[in-house]
Amino acid sequence: MYDIIIVGAGPAGLTAAIYARRAQKSVLVLEAKSYGGQIINTLDIENYPVEEHISGFDFATKLYKQTKALGAEIVFEKVVDINDLGNTKEVVTTKNKYSCKAVIIATGSEDRKLGLSNEDELVGKGISYCATCDGAFYKGKTVAVVGGGNTALEDALYLSDIASKVYLIHRRDEFRAEETTVEQLKKKENVEFIYNSTVTKLNASERLESIEVTNKDGSVRTIEVNGLFVAVGRIPENQNFAKLIELDNAGYVKAGEDCKTTCKGIFTAGDNRIKEVRQLVTATGDGAVAATNAVKYINNL
Ligand code: NAP
C-alpha cells in the first residue's frame, strides 16, 4: 500500500513526487514510456526560471535523478485502469495491480495525427511528429511542416537551418503561435507559407515522396517532399480514466487550479487538465499543488 501513486513521469508527475516525498509520503510513479514526457523532445528550454538554456533531455534527466534521490519508486508500466474503493484506490497496469490512498494523474498528452490512411505506416519513413528528434535526417532536403501553433512554427524555424526548403502548411491564414516566432520565420528565405490549406494525401512507395495539399478554394497542389513534420496539437491521455473522473468534450480532466478531480482522492496535474497555459512551468506548478492537496487529503482520512 503506497500513500500516493502518480501516473506519468513527466515534469508534472515528477514534481508531484518530489513534493509528496518531502511530505514523508510513500510514492510510486508509474510511467508507460520514458521519463520526461514531451519536454524530452525540446532542444532548448529558455523560459524556465534560473536556467537560461537547458535541453529538454538534460532537464528531464536532472528531474528524474532528483525524484529518485528523494526516495520515490519509479516503475515503467502502463496504467490501464483505476478503481475507486473509497479510502483506497486500486491502480491497474498491464502487468500488476497496486493499492494506494491517493492518485495523481499526470499523463500529459500525445501527438494528434492528421488521420490520413497511410500516416501510421510512414512514421520513420518520411513522417515525423518531432522536429528536434528527426530534423537532422533531412539535411539539405525538402520538408513540410503542418500546423499553426507554437510547435509548428518553432519546428519550421528549426528545420529551416537544416533543410534546403521548408513548406509551412496551415489550415487558416492566422497563426496561434506567438507573433515573434511568426516574424522570425517570415524572415527565412527558404520557408514558403501555404495558407488555408490541409494535407489531404501522402504519396509514397517505400518512403514519403510527395504530399497533396488542398486549399479551401478547392484547388489541389502536389508538393515533392522528403519529410513531413506533423505539429497539429496534442490529445490528452485520459481515455483510461473517463469512467472515474469527469472530462470535458476535448478529453481534458475537469479540474481547477487546486488540481482536484470530480473523484475524491484522485488529483491531476499538467497538460491533461483544463487550463489556459500549457507550459513547463505550469506543469511543475501543478505537480506541487496536486501533491500538496493529496497529502492534505491523506492526512484527513
Ligand atoms: P496548438 O497550439 O493546439 O496548435 C495546433 C495547430 O494545429 C493549430 O494551428 C491548429 O489549427 C492546427 N490543427 C489542429 N488540428 C489540425 C488538423 N487536423 N489539420 C491541420 N491543422 C490542424 O498545439 P501546439 O503548437 O502543439 O502547442 C500546444 C501548447 O504548447 C500551446 O499552448 C503552445 O503555446 C505550447 N507551446 C509553447 C511553446 C513555447 O512557449 N516555446 C512551444 C511549443 C508549444 P487552428 O489554429 O486552425 O486551430
Side-chain angles (χ1 to χ4, degrees):
M1 168 74 80
Y2 291 89
D3 288 320
I4 302 177
I5 291 181
I6 298 166
V7 188
L14 293 181
T15 305
I18 289 172
Y19 273 72
R21 282 301 300 142
R22 284 174 53 79
Q24 306 302 315
K25 299 300 176 201
S26 57
V27 173
L28 171 66
V29 181
L30 294 166
E31 167 60 54
K33 299 169 195 153
S34 59
Y35 66 80
Q38 71 178 102
I39 200 64
I40 209 139
N41 296 328
T42 298
L43 199 67
D44 187 21
I45 302 164
E46 291 182 337
N47 56 6
Y48 197 81
V50 177
E51 294 276 8
E52 263 183 72
H53 290 278
I54 184 167
S55 73
F57 179 79
D58 286 348
F59 180 92
T61 304
K62 277 186 168 183
L63 183 54
Y64 175 77
K65 285 183 179 166
Q66 185 182 4
T67 311
K68 291 277 280 186
L70 281 165
E73 259 182 73
I74 304 178
V75 171
F76 292 91
E77 288 176 19
K78 184 176 171 58
V79 173
V80 289
D81 203 3
I82 300 173
N83 296 311
D84 179 19
L85 312 174
N87 288 349
T88 304
K89 316 292 174 198
E90 183 184 61
V91 179
V92 184
T93 73
T94 45
K95 291 185 184 156
N96 289 301
K97 282 181 183 173
Y98 301 94
S99 294
C100 62
K101 295 173 187 165
V103 179
I104 298 173
I105 300 172
T107 38
S109 55
E110 64 184 340
D111 298 309
R112 179 179 286 122
K113 306 270 170 80
L114 291 174
L116 297 170
S117 61
N118 50 350
E119 187 174 351
D120 283 345
E121 67 204 54
L122 290 173
V123 173
K125 295 175 188 164
I127 299 281
S128 170
Y129 299 87
C130 176
T132 52
C133 315
D134 300 329
F137 297 124
Y138 296 90
K139 194 167 168 34
K141 299 193 169 169
T142 300
V143 298
V145 177
V146 196
N150 275 317
T151 304
L153 278 276
E154 285 181 14
D155 284 359
L157 204 53
Y158 174 70
L159 290 165
S160 69
D161 290 331
I162 299 171
S164 58
K165 170 92 184 179
V166 178
Y167 294 94
L168 192 272
I169 302 162
H170 181 34
R171 64 184 179 184
R172 293 187 294 136
D173 58 3
E174 278 177 19
F175 293 105
R176 275 175 203 275
E178 283 173 26
E179 195 51 41
T180 48
T181 315
V182 177
E183 287 312 311
Q184 262 180 294
L185 194 65
K186 281 184 176 165
K187 286 188 190 130
K188 295 281 184 173
E189 285 181 356
N190 62 340
V191 176
E192 183 177 331
F193 289 75
I194 302 179
Y195 297 106
N196 296 318
S197 300
T198 48
V199 177
T200 40
K201 199 172 167 209
L202 306 170
N203 300 314
S205 50
E206 292 283 293
R207 288 184 55 86
L208 181 69
E209 287 166 358
S210 65
I211 52 175
E212 183 188 90
V213 178
T214 304
N215 190 282
K216 272 183 185 166
D217 66 11
S219 60
V220 178
R221 178 178 170 187
T222 298
I223 304 173
E224 283 186 17
V225 292
N226 304 106
L228 177 68
F229 289 84
V230 180
V232 295
R234 304 185 63 82
I235 300 171
E237 294 198 66
N238 295 322
Q239 303 87 334
N240 289 339
F241 319 116
K243 72 164 207 268
L244 190 65
I245 54 175
E246 273 184 47
L247 309 178
D248 72 1
N249 289 339
Y252 290 96
V253 179
K254 283 190 182 175
E257 292 301 313
D258 60 9
C259 295
K260 290 179 183 169
T261 72
T262 47
C263 179
K264 262 189 167 179
I266 310 265
F267 301 81
T268 188
D271 278 6
N272 57 317
R273 85 168 171 89
I274 295 171
K275 57 158 71 182
E276 293 244 329
V277 182
R278 292 198 172 84
Q279 290 286 295
L280 185 53
V281 71
T282 59
T284 55
D286 268 15
V289 174
T292 304
N293 283 333
V295 168
K296 275 188 200 160
Y297 165 81
I298 291 170
N299 290 345
N300 286 326
L301 278 178

